[in-house]
Amino acid sequence: TTNKYKSRLEDLPNELLTDIFKQLDAQNLFRSFYNLNKRLNQLVQAFNYLQLTFHMNQSNVLKTNGEIYSFYVHTLIVDPWINFNLIHFPNVRRLTLNSPFPKVIEQLKANVVPYLEHLSVFYTYNMYEINILHNEIFSNRFPNLISCELLENQTLMTIQKSTQSPLIRILKTKFINLSIYEKILSVCPNLYFLKFSMYSSNELLPNVQLHKNLKYMIVDQSETDWFDDEFTLSEFLARVPNLEQLVFHRRNYSRNIVNEFEQYDWLVSIINFRLPFIRKLKFHLYLSSDENVNGVIDKNILTKIQSDFTNVHKGQYKAQLEIHLKPL
């Protein structure tokens, strides 16, 4: 009835309001609730607790400069090709940049984002500023950085200058060769997780430096055909004897599927030789679903591939094979 008491948003306890605020974009939160009253001000300003997120796109980028909410942003996600001033987000902990302008990359300095813990940069071409950023990351210029994604599909990753970055525990990148791989392991002594695409360059490095803390590795060769370069893979694994989990992505779009896998040992020789502490192997195999090739891939062949994989790895550690049929 009209005489009954009507509840208001302010009647909710702080804990419930906080849960609601966590679901809102930082910009919308501040525009809706900031300066309404002292209690709401205190809640929305508790950025360390709320971990506010702001997704910057073309429609809202011009509204960010000088607004108070940017000071409280914990997670900042930026759409491709947006030019903005990173100095307005001094307390950001997580930063994701998609196809950033060089001028934005230039702003990535420890004095601008001193609390940065997680960085993801997806770029479509190599640039001078990215090479400088690599040097900054692997020289401990971001002293709070724990995880890092540096993803570019076309070129080999470069690191020209480095010291040590002891806090980095997680690193995801694309193409690296053996020398860059060794440099990453040497400058990140506490690295636990590494994902990369292996670039074969027939390198022979005389001194094998062992990394004792890397336990989880993903090698993604799903974008290029595998040319039986298992010697290179063996050299990569030789540096991480304490590895416990290995995920391997292999693409094979050959029409000679039966012949190619008839004598294949599914990495068991390398694993037995290089990884005495392995507990889990997950193998992703990508086969073509193109109609010109699909005729040679039937249910019996897929069943045999699964059976062969299970038999060679049986009883040693947990091993799993996933077969993906993808178009050319």
Side-chain angles (χ1 to χ4, degrees):
T1 65
T2 55
N3 294 329
K4 285 190 174 182
Y5 177 76
K6 294 182 179 179
S7 61
R8 301 177 303 169
L9 184 69
E10 290 93 327
D11 295 329
L12 297 176
N14 286 351
E15 293 78 10
L16 188 54
L17 283 174
T18 299
D19 286 339
I20 294 173
F21 289 167
K22 285 180 180 179
Q23 310 306 316
L24 301 178
D25 181 275
Q27 187 181 63
N28 293 330
L29 174 63
F30 269 78
R31 288 182 175 180
S32 301
F33 297 101
Y34 189 68
N35 274 343
L36 290 182
N37 56 52
K38 182 178 180 181
R39 178 193 174 205
L40 290 178
N41 275 3
Q42 290 176 340
L43 286 177
V44 299
Q45 288 178 327
F47 68 93
N48 281 328
Y49 183 63
L50 288 176
Q51 300 186 0
L52 301 181
T53 298
F54 179 53
H55 190 158
M56 186 183 296
N57 52 48
Q58 294 291 350
S59 65
N60 61 28
V61 61
L62 296 179
K63 303 175 184 178
T64 60
N65 293 341
E67 291 205 22
I68 188 171
Y69 78 88
S70 61
F71 181 82
Y72 297 97
V73 170
H74 177 281
T75 300
L76 177 61
I77 304 169
V78 184
D79 278 0
W81 311 118
I82 290 182
N83 195 13
F84 72 103
N85 197 335
L86 193 55
I87 199 171
H88 294 300
F89 301 88
N91 290 302
V92 68
R93 264 68 169 174
R94 292 180 175 270
L95 176 61
T96 299
L97 300 174
N98 295 289
S99 299
F101 282 115
K103 288 184 178 180
V104 174
I105 295 295
E106 286 179 350
Q107 299 177 53
L108 269 174
K109 305 291 182 182
N111 61 324
V112 178
V113 283
Y115 306 108
L116 186 64
E117 297 176 1
H118 309 277
L119 173 64
S120 298
V121 184
F122 305 88
Y123 47 103
T124 54
Y125 65 96
N126 199 6
M127 62 181 89
Y128 172 76
E129 290 77 10
I130 286 293
N131 294 329
I132 298 299
L133 177 61
H134 291 172
N135 296 338
E136 296 277 310
I137 290 172
F138 295 108
S139 296
N140 203 31
R141 301 296 173 83
F142 299 95
N144 296 302
L145 194 62
I146 299 171
S147 70
C148 191
E149 286 184 284
L150 301 167
L151 302 179
E152 196 272 323
N153 289 326
Q154 299 178 0
T155 58
L156 192 66
M157 182 180 182
T158 59
I159 305 174
Q160 297 172 342
K161 298 179 181 179
S162 62
T163 52
Q164 271 205 345
S165 297
L167 278 187
I168 294 181
R169 301 261 298 164
I170 299 172
L171 177 63
K172 301 176 183 179
T173 185
K174 292 296 288 186
F175 291 103
I176 58 175
N177 58 19
L178 189 59
S179 60
I180 294 297
Y181 173 75
E182 277 206 344
K183 183 169 290 188
I184 289 172
L185 296 182
S186 66
V187 301
C188 303
N190 296 309
L191 192 65
Y192 175 87
F193 175 95
L194 177 61
K195 179 181 179 180
F196 63 96
S197 296
M198 191 172 58
Y199 182 87
S200 178
S201 56
N202 297 320
E203 297 174 286
L204 288 175
L205 303 181
N207 299 319
V208 177
Q209 300 179 3
L210 301 182
H211 191 286
K212 298 182 179 180
N213 292 317
L214 192 68
K215 300 298 178 66
Y216 197 136
M217 177 184 290
I218 299 177
V219 183
D220 187 357
Q221 303 299 119
S222 63
E223 297 180 6
T224 57
D225 281 331
W226 179 254
F227 294 106
D228 297 325
D229 197 0
E230 297 192 0
F231 172 79
T232 302
L233 178 61
S234 180
E235 288 299 302
F236 273 76
L237 295 181
R239 275 74 179 167
V240 288
N242 294 334
L243 196 70
E244 296 179 357
Q245 296 188 62
L246 174 63
V247 179
F248 188 73
H249 296 256
R250 171 182 172 179
R251 189 179 88 171
N252 190 307
Y253 284 179
S254 169
R255 299 185 183 185
N256 300 316
I257 299 297
V258 177
N259 294 335
E260 295 234 359
F261 291 106
E262 189 68 35
Q263 303 298 326
Y264 190 49
D265 76 346
W266 300 98
L267 307 182
V268 68
S269 299
I270 296 176
I271 290 174
N272 289 339
F273 181 51
R274 298 296 193 188
L275 305 178
F277 300 105
I278 188 74
R279 295 190 295 107
K280 184 176 180 180
L281 168 69
K282 190 167 186 179
F283 198 117
H284 293 268
L285 177 63
Y286 299 85
L287 302 177
S288 171
S289 62
D290 185 77
E291 60 181 4
N292 296 322
V293 182
N294 198 37
V296 301
I297 304 177
D298 57 25
K299 184 177 180 180
N300 292 331
I301 290 177
L302 296 181
T303 301
K304 186 178 186 308
I305 290 175
Q306 284 280 4
S307 176
D308 290 344
F309 178 88
T310 301
N311 289 334
V312 297
H313 292 288
K314 189 174 183 179
Q316 301 182 65
Y317 35 78
K318 185 177 180 180
Q320 181 182 358
L321 172 65
E322 287 192 14
I323 300 177
H324 310 268
L325 297 179
K326 298 181 66 177
L328 288 171

Coordinates of all heavy atoms in Angstrom, one line a residue, residues 131-132 134-135 158-162 183:
N131 N 60.2 -2.2 -28.6 CA 61.5 -2.8 -28.2 C 62.1 -2.1 -26.9 O 62.7 -2.7 -26.1 CB 62.5 -2.5 -29.3 CG 62.2 -3.3 -30.6 OD1 61.6 -4.4 -30.4 ND2 62.5 -2.8 -31.7
I132 N 61.8 -0.8 -26.8 CA 62.2 -0.1 -25.6 C 61.4 -0.6 -24.4 O 62.0 -0.8 -23.3 CB 62.0 1.5 -25.7 CG1 62.8 2.0 -26.9 CG2 62.2 2.2 -24.4 CD1 64.3 1.9 -26.6
H134 N 60.2 -3.6 -24.0 CA 60.8 -4.9 -23.6 C 62.0 -4.7 -22.7 O 62.2 -5.4 -21.7 CB 61.3 -5.7 -24.9 CG 60.1 -6.2 -25.7 ND1 60.3 -6.7 -26.9 CD2 58.8 -6.2 -25.5 CE1 59.1 -7.0 -27.4 NE2 58.2 -6.7 -26.6
N135 N 62.9 -3.8 -23.1 CA 64.1 -3.5 -22.2 C 63.7 -3.0 -20.8 O 64.3 -3.4 -19.8 CB 64.9 -2.4 -22.9 CG 65.5 -2.9 -24.2 OD1 65.6 -4.1 -24.5 ND2 65.9 -2.0 -25.1
T158 N 62.3 -9.2 -29.3 CA 63.7 -8.8 -29.1 C 63.9 -8.3 -27.6 O 63.0 -7.6 -27.1 CB 64.1 -7.7 -30.1 OG1 63.2 -6.6 -29.9 CG2 64.1 -8.2 -31.5
I159 N 65.0 -8.5 -27.1 CA 65.4 -7.9 -25.8 C 66.9 -7.5 -25.9 O 67.8 -8.4 -26.0 CB 65.3 -8.9 -24.6 CG1 63.9 -9.5 -24.5 CG2 65.7 -8.3 -23.3 CD1 63.7 -10.6 -23.5
Q160 N 67.1 -6.2 -26.0 CA 68.5 -5.8 -26.2 C 69.2 -5.5 -24.9 O 70.4 -5.7 -24.8 CB 68.4 -4.5 -27.0 CG 67.9 -4.7 -28.4 CD 67.6 -3.4 -29.2 OE1 67.6 -2.4 -28.6 NE2 67.5 -3.6 -30.5
K161 N 68.5 -5.0 -23.9 CA 69.1 -4.7 -22.6 C 68.3 -5.3 -21.5 O 67.1 -5.3 -21.5 CB 69.2 -3.2 -22.4 CG 70.1 -2.4 -23.4 CD 70.1 -1.0 -23.1 CE 71.0 -0.2 -24.2 NZ 71.0 1.2 -23.9
S162 N 69.0 -5.9 -20.5 CA 68.2 -6.5 -19.4 C 69.1 -6.6 -18.2 O 70.3 -6.6 -18.3 CB 67.7 -7.9 -19.8 OG 68.8 -8.7 -20.1
K183 N 67.5 -15.8 -22.4 CA 67.6 -14.5 -21.7 C 66.4 -14.3 -20.8 O 66.5 -13.7 -19.7 CB 67.7 -13.4 -22.8 CG 67.9 -12.0 -22.2 CD 68.2 -11.0 -23.2 CE 69.6 -11.2 -23.8 NZ 70.0 -10.0 -24.7

